[in-house]
Amino acid sequence: MKITEAIATHILEVHEGNNWTEVNIKTTLEDVTHKEATTVTKASYNTIAALVHHLSFYNDVVMQRLVGVNPVISDTNGFEMLPVKNEHDWKKLKERNLDSARQLAQAVKHFPEEKIFQLTVTGHSTHYKMLHGIVEHAYYHLGQIVLLKKLVKQDDAKIKNRNSL
């Protein structure tokens, strides 16, 4: 198997499953409602929805860098997003994340193997390091999403218990 194919597989696995950790973005988000996805907790200013958007944003950034484009990244670092007002918006955001991961995996799979250890357009790292970085980035934020989900669901359970008394 080529290095690019292996990295593409890792990108898909963190998003869709079948990885070593047995935790992935798609499954983690399946039972999260749009209200839960947009809830700000004491643990973070970022919401689950903002993290999902941020992951998609960086999947797009890496795709552009693979073809030699260095997009300008604003001070908001990919966290600016349209409001998620309902379940439809939330579903679209989750679909967008999976689509961006699939597109990135395809781009990586077709990236010329002989360029993998060359510097990216930023000149800061090699394509190899950038591509492993995007996988690490996804796992890092997946960990945050898992923790935020637990906090939000605990708060929801407390509210339901209070209301049932």
Side-chain angles (χ1 to χ4, degrees):
M1 177 185 285
K2 294 176 13 180
I3 292 172
T4 50
E5 291 172 355
I7 296 169
T9 299
H10 288 298
I11 291 167
L12 291 175
E13 288 176 346
V14 66
H15 285 83
E16 297 182 329
N18 198 31
N19 58 19
W20 180 77
T21 66
E22 298 181 6
V23 179
N24 65 78
I25 295 166
K26 180 181 178 183
T27 305
T28 299
L29 298 177
E30 282 177 350
D31 66 340
V32 175
T33 66
H34 90 277
K35 285 192 180 238
E36 292 167 338
T38 57
T39 298
V40 176
T41 69
K42 292 178 182 179
S44 176
Y45 292 115
N46 293 324
T47 63
I48 293 170
L51 291 168
V52 171
H53 173 78
H54 175 76
L55 287 167
S56 301
F57 174 85
Y58 268 94
N59 286 343
D60 293 343
V61 166
V62 170
M63 271 192 295
Q64 291 178 58
R65 288 180 179 165
L66 284 175
V67 295
V69 175
N70 190 15
V72 175
I73 299 172
S74 72
D75 291 341
T76 59
N77 198 26
F79 282 102
E80 72 283 351
M81 60 182 276
L82 296 172
V84 176
K85 298 178 187 174
N86 51 47
E87 290 300 328
H88 175 77
D89 292 349
W90 175 226
K91 181 181 176 191
K92 290 291 181 196
L93 186 63
K94 292 187 291 184
E95 288 171 356
R96 170 72 188 104
N97 178 258
L98 292 177
D99 288 345
S100 71
R102 291 173 187 140
Q103 290 170 13
L104 177 57
Q106 279 301 312
V108 171
K109 208 179 273 188
H110 293 96
F111 188 76
E113 186 102 8
E114 63 273 7
K115 292 184 177 183
I116 198 79
F117 294 107
Q118 293 177 7
L119 289 177
T120 67
V121 67
T122 67
H124 299 289
S125 68
T126 64
H127 292 97
Y128 179 83
K129 190 170 182 176
M130 174 185 70
L131 294 174
H132 275 286
I134 197 67
V135 174
E136 293 165 354
H137 179 247
Y139 277 110
Y140 170 77
H141 287 305
L142 173 57
Q144 289 180 307
I145 290 168
V146 168
L147 292 173
L148 290 175
K149 176 181 171 179
K150 285 181 182 191
L151 288 172
V152 169
K153 294 237 179 241
Q154 282 176 347
D155 288 346
D156 281 353
K158 287 178 187 175
I159 291 168
K160 285 178 187 171
N161 284 339
R162 268 189 253 136
N163 291 339
S164 67
L165 296 177

